[in-house]
Amino acid sequence: MFKNHLRIAWRNIKKDKLFTTIKIGGFAVGIAACLLIALFIGNELSYDTHYRNKNRIYRVVMQGVMGGEQLKSVHFQLPFAETLEATFPEVLKAGKINTSELFGAGRRPLRAAGTSQNNFEEGFIYADQQVFDILELELSEGTPENLLTNPGSVVMTAKKAAKYFPEGNAVGKTVYLDDNSTRPYTVTGVIKEDLSKKTHLDFDFLLAIEDTNMSWSNSNYFTYLLLDDKADVAALEKKMRSILEQYVIPAYKERMRGEEFMEVLKTLEYKLQPIADIHLRSDAKMGDGLKHGDIRFVWLFAAIAGFVLLLAVINFINLSTAKSANRAKEVGLKKTVGAFKSHLVGQFLTESVIYSLISFVIGVFLAWLLLPTFNTIAAKSIVMPWSAWWFLPTIVLAALFVGIMAGLYPAFYLSAFKPVNVLKGTLSTGSKSGKLRSGLVVVQFTTSVVLIIGTLIIYNQMNFILDKKLGFNKDQVLVIKGTNLLKDNSQSFKERLLGLSDVKAVSISDYLPIEGTKRNGNTFGAISNGRQEISVPAQIWRVDHDYINTLGLQLKEGRGFSKDFASDSSAIVINSTMAKELGFEDPIGKRINNGEDWTIIGVVEDFHFKNLKEDIAPVSLVIGDSPSMVSVKLNSSEAANAIRDIQAIWQQYVPQQAFEYTFLDQEFAHMHDDVQRMGKIFNSFALFAIFVACLGLFALSAFLVEQRKKEISIRLVLGAPFKSIYQLLTMDFMKLILLSIIIAIPIGWYMMGRWLEDFAYRVHISWGTFLLAGLLALLIALLTVSFQSIRAALTNPAKTLRAE
């Protein structure tokens, strides 16, 4: 019996190649999309799940309230970790990490001893020995003890060790940072790399912490804890409040930070964040500067995967029932000669499973072909898990399950045909099945319209971000990196650049309004009658005299820095937000303090220096030395000649060093790479879903034509024009699509409104977006249905009526 089912199934697959291709193709596309999304979700959920003690590792987060807004931070004082470990028995280990560029983390030039060529390397962070133990880092060279206890120690990944010491045995070798041969670093360990182990910390080099500032008012370190397996996390969080009261609050009182700041300190509390939550569940307010995912995107893509698979199953059902008339006589004859319903159900389920298995094979192969492109879009390195023990069995079981579930309705529907009605030529479909199929199309196109709305809004938001007025001029600004290698020649280099005809202005500072450059945190207070009355957290950027002009910052009040004023060494320029938060209506000449006294000489218009998901924060500029980047404002859009000339000057100063540069507008765009990537992924799978939905509509239009072909033929014989036949076959579908649009608009409005809440600066959702989405859906549906409608209207009625 089973062999007979297989033989009949194979005959039917070969018999109608068009519908077989559509049925299998629609399934395969849906499976490929679901598999890609599943691999993406699995990758996102795998971060920091490989630790043996993953349920006992936490990162400390501090939160409080200031000005009615919630504050969050993961930056703590140098003695904080040791104090926690010494005070609370349930804290087995407490370690710290510093990722701040201010301390030399981030990007630095490095060379091995005995070589002259520096390479600019990313991924330097400072860490202590405890962190190495907590994060269970494995070594391929060296011993775990005392890796990061001595100043001048560096641990590197195996990839970097192979780069600098290809002969092996890197431990004990010497490297130099910042081209400083008087300050050697000794390699104490090489970390074994395992690409399957994903972590929120992206580093290639661990440097031993050399900071000796034990002040409880300077916060620069992430703190990680390994707790006892019986620790009560909630109780520990409450007990940690004692650290604030015993150390932090007294330290800030000593610095005379003002009563308002003291009130803020009273709202502070410590929370413990599980390490597995850091990648997907970290708030931007924490300011850790790390690359994160977003759990909401994970759920969104999971929903899209489910919808795509659902749409593919709906298509399978519609395509099966659409061709039911062609199988009706087969069913009638089999029943007449004694076939049981169970035999017919088995036959149709067998066909469904075969279709599903073939679709899964093609879908997996298609996903494998698309995976490199998907990795490029998503900035991932996902691989198809062919060798995983669970992969192939899961695929086979999924194919069987989906095949059976998708085939149940067509199997029972087709096997229920009455032989008498079938052999008379009367195909009884029933009103319920028609309503079901119409409902399925509404579900499909409601999903499609929601996805179209999402695609349009994401596109508009991306354009809004990249085209928004930022308060500074990012165009034609060349940023030269690693200029601290110039050492005492930086001013001379600057003067040489200013002598080029293509150069308009030059500034030396590595505080730039783009991510990946220096940042810091300070608290400023307005000084009145010798007392500090208010406290405002703000950035303080060390720049040179030409910074404001080079970046095109707009002065709102006062003046910028000038070499003509010796007093500018204690002068400060603030942005409008900082002036407002300090409560200054006329800020020029006012004095403020952050441990040092400053006199305000100018106010610049607010400019964006963070991701546009965040509001503009207070920022200040002072004259100071910060030499690892040089910004060059070019005169024209033809940058090639200018770059060539600048590189020639660079080679004269540091001939053994590579010339590295970028453009400020490119770096600004990189700040929003994560959102752009998510947008591209969303749009790609939206197209998948819309394509599959169109196949569903094609199936239903084919079904309708199949049912009404006799009626259409009679109308044509009686002289009905092409137009009336076309309208007859399309109007019902257009009604279903209009209903889908009406249902989809509030869903799309709600979902995209929630997504836009992440952005402090965002587009407004206009009715034009919904109108365009609706028109696109109608156009897509009309084009899909028109194929079958035109084909039916142009059919020769004699061919249909000949059989009557």
Side-chain angles (χ1 to χ4, degrees), residues 76-82 94-100 103 105 108 125-132 147-155 183 185 205-214 220-224:
F76 297 94
Q77 304 81 6
L78 181 64
F80 180 69
E82 287 85 350
K96 50 188 176 293
I97 285 176
N98 188 332
T99 62
S100 172
F103 289 80
R108 297 176 73 173
I125 65 174
Y126 285 91
D128 63 8
Q129 181 67 33
Q130 297 287 67
V131 160
F132 191 92
L147 286 169
L148 294 167
T149 54
N150 298 317
S153 298
V154 58
V155 178
R183 179 67 173 87
Y185 284 80
F205 303 91
L206 295 176
L207 298 172
I209 294 172
E210 300 177 14
D211 184 14
T212 58
N213 186 347
M214 301 299 286
N220 299 299
Y221 296 89
F222 304 160
T223 299
Y224 293 82

Side-chain angles (χ1 to χ4, degrees), residues 115-292:
T115 64
S116 60
Q117 179 68 46
N118 284 295
N119 294 296
F120 292 98
E121 295 286 1
E122 305 281 354
F124 284 93
I125 65 174
Y126 285 91
D128 63 8
Q129 181 67 33
Q130 297 287 67
V131 160
F132 191 92
D133 298 335
I134 292 170
L135 298 183
E136 302 173 8
L137 299 176
E138 296 182 52
L139 294 175
S140 59
E141 292 185 42
T143 56
E145 295 79 17
N146 303 320
L147 286 169
L148 294 167
T149 54
N150 298 317
S153 298
V154 58
V155 178
M156 59 178 63
T157 59
K159 176 178 64 178
K160 296 301 179 183
K163 177 179 177 179
Y164 288 96
F165 307 103
E167 71 283 358
N169 300 319
V171 172
K173 300 291 178 60
T174 300
V175 296
Y176 299 112
L177 297 179
D178 306 320
D179 201 32
N180 184 0
S181 57
T182 65
R183 179 67 173 87
Y185 284 80
T186 303
V187 179
T188 56
V190 176
I191 299 172
K192 185 186 298 183
E193 292 181 281
D194 185 347
L195 296 178
S196 66
K197 296 178 179 180
K198 304 293 182 183
T199 174
H200 67 285
L201 286 170
D202 185 13
F203 64 87
D204 283 308
F205 303 91
L206 295 176
L207 298 172
I209 294 172
E210 300 177 14
D211 184 14
T212 58
N213 186 347
M214 301 299 286
S215 169
W216 281 91
S217 58
N218 290 332
S219 301
N220 299 299
Y221 296 89
F222 304 160
T223 299
Y224 293 82
L225 307 181
L226 175 64
L227 302 185
D228 182 89
D229 56 3
K230 297 179 181 178
D232 185 332
V233 173
L236 177 60
E237 288 174 338
K238 291 180 179 178
K239 289 193 293 184
M240 286 169 63
R241 171 74 193 178
S242 64
I243 302 295
L244 280 166
E245 295 169 350
Q246 186 173 352
Y247 299 102
V248 179
I249 293 177
Y252 280 107
K253 280 184 177 179
E254 187 178 331
R255 292 187 65 176
M256 310 250 331
R257 285 304 178 91
E259 290 301 321
E260 183 177 332
F261 193 70
M262 291 300 109
E263 291 300 317
V264 173
L265 292 179
K266 292 177 182 178
T267 70
L268 297 182
E269 57 182 351
Y270 294 121
K271 294 293 182 181
L272 299 182
Q273 181 183 29
I275 194 168
D277 287 352
I278 294 176
H279 177 65
L280 289 175
R281 294 179 173 86
S282 288
D283 195 318
K285 293 180 180 179
M286 294 177 183
D288 60 13
L290 304 176
K291 294 179 181 179
H292 293 290

Side-chain angles (χ1 to χ4, degrees), residues 54 205 296 315 390 402 528:
K54 66 180 180 181
F205 303 91
R296 289 171 299 178
N315 287 352
W390 51 265
V402 172
S528 177

Side-chain angles (χ1 to χ4, degrees), residues 417-428:
F417 288 156
K418 297 179 180 179
V420 175
N421 292 333
V422 169
L423 296 177
K424 280 184 179 180
T426 304
L427 182 62
S428 177

